[in-house]
Amino acid sequence: MRTSRFFLSTSKEAPAEAELVSHKLMLRAGLIKRLGSGLYTWMPLGLRILRKVEAVVREEMNRAGAIELLMPAVIPAELWQESGRWEVFGPQMLKIKDRHQRDFLFGPTHEEVITDLARKELKSYKQLPVNFYQVQTKFRDEIRPRFGVMRAREFLMKDAYSFHLTESSLDETYRTMHAAYSRIFERLGLKFRAVAADTGAIGGSGSHEFHVLADSGEDAIAFCPDSDYAANVEMAEGLAPNTARPAATETMRDVDTPKQTTCEDVAALLGIPLQKTVKLIAVMAADKLNVLLIRGDHNLNEVKAAKIDGLADFRFATDEEIRATFNCPPGFLGPVGLDRSTIRVIADRTVAAMADFVCGANKPKFHTAGVNWGRDLPEPDLVADIRNVVEGDPSPDGKGSLGLCRGIEVGHIFKLGTKYSEALGATVLDEQGKARTVIMGCYGIGVSRIVGAAIEQGNDERGIVFPQAIAPFELAIVPLGYGRNAQVREAADALYNQMVEAGVDVVLDDRDERPGVMFADMELIGVAHRLVVSERGLKEGQLEYQARTDAQASKIAQADAAAYVKERIEACRS
C-alpha cells in the first residue's frame, strides 16, 4: 500500500467532546468519523484494523468447530414477545414499524432468532451439539452514548449460540469457547483476564467475562496473583472471617455526633478505625422493609444482594419511608431496637463477626457505641455475603490474597440453559424418540470494542501503540525526499517490493511531506515497525529502524534491512 493511493486523515487535535484516550486517538488518527450520537463511520484505516480483529475471531471460531451464518438485523416483534423480552429489555431496544405498521426491532442480540431457527431445523439428537456464529452489526440505544466505539449505539459483534441435549455437552462446548476466546486475545496481543461474572439480563446458569486490562476500564476485577482465580467484583466472594467473634468488652452507650452522618466522619470524631463502624442500608422489596448491614469501610454489592431470597427486585427506601419506620433521618440509622417482626435484618459476614461496634442510634445527632450481637440486639435474621471485596481479602480459592484491577469487557460467554428454548419450544427427539428441550450456550465478542480497548491499553504521548497483530500496517517505509531524490526513491521502491513479496503488510509513505509530519503520522496511527530511507543513510549504506515500542531508532545495514525487519515481524507474529 502506498499512501498516495490510500486515504489518511490525521489531525493534531481531537474534538472537545472526546473523553477517553481511545476516543481522542481514534478521531485524531482518522480511524473513525462521527456521523451522529453513538454512530461512527469506519474510515479506510480504521477498517483495516477492524478487519484484522474480525479475521482472528473468525479463524478461532472456525478452529473451535463453530459454523458461520448470518441472521437478519431487523427482527419481527413476535419472536421477542414470545420469549417475553419485548417489554422487559428496556429502552435500549430500537423498536421500528414497517409500512404495514407491524412491529420490528433492530437486533441488540439474537437469542430469539437463532432459537427460532433451531426449532425449525433441529429435529434429532443426532444433529447435536451444534454451534452457530455470526459477525454482525448490532444496535443498542444507549441513554448516553460516549467514549467513541467503547459505548456506541451501533457496533460490530460476534455472537455464537450452541445447542445441546445434555448439560455435560454444554459444559464441553463452554470450555472449548473459553479456550478459543483465550487464544483470540492472545493472538491479538492483548493483556486480558477471564473472570467469573453475573449473567445479567441474558440469563443462564453461569458465565465468564473477558476483560482487556486498562486503568480506564469501567469494571473492577478481583484476582489472585498466586493463582488463576479472577472474578468481576460483582461476583467475587467475600469470605467470612476465619476467627470467632470476639467477646464483648464495652458497655453500649449513645455518643453525640451532631453533624456526623457517615461512617468516615463518625470514626474520625471518635478516633476509632473505620472497620469498627457499621452502616445500615434500608431497602424495600415486595412492600416490606429490609435492612442490610455493611462494615463502614465496605460497599454494598447490589448484584449479590439481589440474589437473596425476597430481594430480587429490591430498591433503596426513600427518605419518607425511612422516617416513617425509624422516626429518624438517614445518617443516624442502626439495628438496635428494631421491630424484628416487621423488619428483616441481613448482615454481611464481616458484620456478623464484629463486636463492640458503632452504628446509628435511630435518633438525630446520635450514634451508639459498644454494640454487641446477642447482648444488645438479636442475631441477624440472615448472614450473607453482600459486600464488594477489597484489596487484601483472602482469595476464595484459598491460595493467597486478592488484588484489584480495572478491565474493559470485550467478551462474554454464558450457559443459557433452557431459558429461550423453553419459551420458544425448541425441542429434538432423543434416542428413545422422546421430545427434549434443547440446552443452549451463548458466546459474544465486541469486535469493534476490541479496537478501542486495545488503544486504551496501548498508547503513549506520540499516539497509538497497537500490538502488531492489529496494527493498520506491520511496517512503514518512510523515504525522505521520495519525490526529489532518485536514489532514495529507487531504494524505497525496491525495499517495498521485497516486503510485499515476503508477505509483510507494508505501507510506503510516498507523500511530499516533511519528515516530522510523516514520522508523527506513522506513530499516531500505530504502525508496528518503521524503516527510514534517507540520502545520507544510503551514502553510509545504512537505514534507520525503529519498532513502535522502541525508545530510539537504530542503524542497520541496507543490505541486511529486508531480512532483519522480516525477522522482527515474524518474531512478533509467533
Side-chain angles (χ1 to χ4, degrees):
M1 182 69 66
R2 294 171 181 264
T3 53
S4 60
R5 300 175 187 174
F6 195 60
F7 187 85
L8 285 179
S9 179
T10 59
S11 63
K12 292 184 178 180
E13 301 294 333
E17 69 270 13
E19 301 175 63
L20 284 187
V21 169
S22 60
H23 191 191
K24 294 176 182 178
L25 289 176
M26 290 185 79
L27 290 170
R28 283 190 57 211
L31 307 188
I32 57 172
K33 297 293 181 180
R34 184 180 184 273
L35 175 64
S37 178
L39 302 173
Y40 294 89
T41 296
W42 283 83
M43 299 297 286
L45 193 69
L47 189 61
R48 287 181 64 86
I49 300 160
L50 190 66
R51 292 295 182 238
K52 288 185 176 186
V53 174
E54 191 177 333
V56 171
V57 170
R58 272 199 171 90
E59 287 170 15
E60 291 300 336
M61 290 301 293
N62 293 339
R63 177 181 171 186
I67 304 165
E68 187 171 9
L69 46 62
L70 184 61
M71 292 175 274
V74 176
I75 305 170
E78 288 83 0
L79 279 178
W80 280 61
Q81 290 164 348
E82 195 173 351
S83 71
R85 288 208 293 176
W86 178 256
E87 297 297 337
V88 302
F89 195 83
Q92 281 191 339
M93 183 195 298
L94 179 62
K95 298 179 180 180
I96 52 182
K97 291 182 181 289
D98 68 4
R99 68 179 67 194
H100 303 291
Q101 295 302 299
R102 292 176 299 206
D103 288 319
F104 290 82
L105 67 142
F106 197 114
T109 183
H110 274 65
E111 285 81 8
E112 284 82 358
V113 178
I114 197 67
T115 308
D116 178 66
L117 180 72
R119 68 180 172 184
K120 294 172 180 175
E121 298 295 329
L122 303 179
K123 304 299 180 184
S124 168
Y125 73 95
K126 295 179 181 179
Q127 296 171 278
L128 303 180
V130 64
N131 189 2
F132 298 112
Y133 82 94
Q134 64 174 349
V135 181
Q136 186 201 53
T137 297
K138 309 288 190 192
F139 188 95
R140 295 180 186 175
D141 197 3
E142 293 278 357
I143 188 171
R144 189 187 168 201
R146 53 182 179 156
F147 305 152
V149 301
M150 299 289 286
R151 186 172 286 180
R153 294 199 292 170
E154 184 180 278
F155 54 94
L156 190 66
M157 180 180 178
K158 187 284 300 176
D159 47 325
Y161 308 90
S162 63
F163 297 87
H164 310 267
L165 189 67
T166 64
E167 291 285 351
S168 60
S169 174
L170 170 61
D171 290 343
E172 183 177 351
T173 296
Y174 190 87
R175 289 192 294 270
T176 298
M177 286 293 98
H178 191 290
Y181 274 40
S182 296
R183 287 195 302 270
I184 286 168
F185 297 116
E186 287 166 2
R187 286 185 57 187
L188 293 177
L190 299 172
K191 297 175 184 176
F192 74 98
R193 280 190 180 273
V195 303
D198 184 61
T199 56
I202 298 293
S205 60
S207 74
H208 282 81
E209 294 170 348
F210 289 77
H211 288 261
V212 169
L213 304 182
D215 291 339
S216 59
E218 291 184 296
D219 292 290
I221 298 167
F223 68 96
C224 179
D226 303 317
S227 71
D228 292 332
Y229 177 84
N232 192 301
V233 166
E234 291 178 343
M235 288 289 288
E237 183 182 7
L239 298 180
N242 57 11
T243 55
R245 181 196 296 164
T249 60
E250 298 180 18
T251 302
M252 187 173 72
R253 63 207 181 274
D254 285 348
V255 291
D256 188 15
T257 54
K259 298 179 180 179
Q260 289 71 27
T261 59
T262 68
C263 288
E264 290 81 1
D265 290 343
V266 171
L269 176 71
L270 301 181
I272 60 173
L274 185 57
Q275 293 88 334
K276 284 188 67 71
T277 65
V278 170
K279 52 190 168 187
L280 182 151
I281 301 169
V283 300
M284 299 295 295
D287 296 324
K288 182 178 179 180
L289 187 98
N290 296 257
V291 299
L292 309 177
L293 302 180
I294 306 289
R295 205 170 75 185
D297 60 325
H298 290 158
N299 291 316
L300 175 68
N301 186 311
E302 295 180 36
V303 171
K304 292 179 182 178
K307 293 181 179 180
I308 292 174
D309 250 3
L311 293 188
D313 298 310
F314 82 85
R315 62 172 174 80
F316 295 105
T318 64
D319 282 2
E320 291 75 16
E321 289 168 332
I322 288 172
R323 290 176 184 274
T325 301
F326 293 87
N327 194 29
C328 175
F332 303 96
L333 308 181
V336 179
L338 296 184
D339 181 356
R340 299 288 284 273
S341 66
T342 59
I343 300 174
R344 182 168 60 153
V345 173
I346 301 168
D348 182 68
R349 291 168 173 172
T350 51
V351 173
M354 291 175 69
D356 296 328
F357 59 84
V358 176
C359 60
N362 293 324
K363 57 183 178 180
K365 303 182 179 183
F366 282 93
H367 279 72
T368 303
V371 179
N372 286 273
W373 294 105
R375 187 193 71 182
D376 305 316
L377 74 168
E379 296 290 340
D381 296 303
L382 178 67
V383 176
D385 172 26
I386 54 173
R387 68 175 176 94
N388 287 333
V389 295
V390 296
E391 190 113 14
D393 275 344
S395 178
D397 65 0
K399 296 181 180 179
S401 299
L402 291 179
L404 297 179
C405 63
R406 307 297 299 182
I408 300 166
E409 184 189 342
V410 290
H412 206 160
I413 59 178
F414 300 85
K415 294 180 183 180
L416 287 180
T418 59
K419 176 177 178 176
Y420 297 94
S421 51
E422 279 185 358
L424 273 70
T427 64
V428 296
L429 297 179
D430 63 13
E431 290 178 307
Q432 287 73 44
K434 181 180 178 182
R436 296 266 299 276
T437 301
V438 294
I439 303 168
M440 295 175 59
C442 172
Y443 321 94
I445 282 182
V447 178
S448 52
R449 200 165 203 246
I450 285 174
V451 179
I455 296 170
E456 288 296 323
Q457 189 174 89
N459 64 82
D460 61 17
E461 70 283 353
R462 293 174 290 166
I464 301 168
V465 184
F466 275 124
Q468 179 182 291
I470 57 176
F473 301 99
E474 291 178 313
L475 171 67
I477 298 173
V478 182
L480 307 186
Y482 181 86
R484 301 185 304 274
N485 188 303
Q487 187 183 11
V488 168
R489 183 166 58 253
E490 182 180 336
D493 286 344
L495 189 58
Y496 173 74
N497 290 332
Q498 282 181 287
M499 293 294 100
V500 170
E501 289 175 11
V504 174
D505 185 14
V506 57
V507 61
L508 173 62
D509 195 347
D510 55 356
R511 295 176 295 168
D512 184 21
E513 288 283 3
R514 292 178 289 106
V517 172
M518 293 191 288
F519 293 165
D521 278 351
M522 293 304 118
E523 289 173 337
L524 172 62
I525 68 178
V527 177
H529 307 268
R530 185 182 76 200
L531 270 177
V532 178
V533 183
S534 67
E535 181 180 5
R536 179 178 177 180
L538 292 176
K539 287 179 180 178
E540 299 171 353
Q542 293 182 327
L543 302 180
E544 189 177 273
Y545 167 79
Q546 186 172 8
R548 182 62 181 84
T549 54
D550 289 347
Q552 295 181 342
S554 56
K555 302 285 188 179
I556 58 174
Q558 181 184 355
D560 301 331
Y564 177 82
V565 173
K566 185 182 176 185
E567 183 179 342
R568 290 290 300 264
I569 290 173
E570 289 290 348
C572 292
R573 286 176 178 172
S574 59

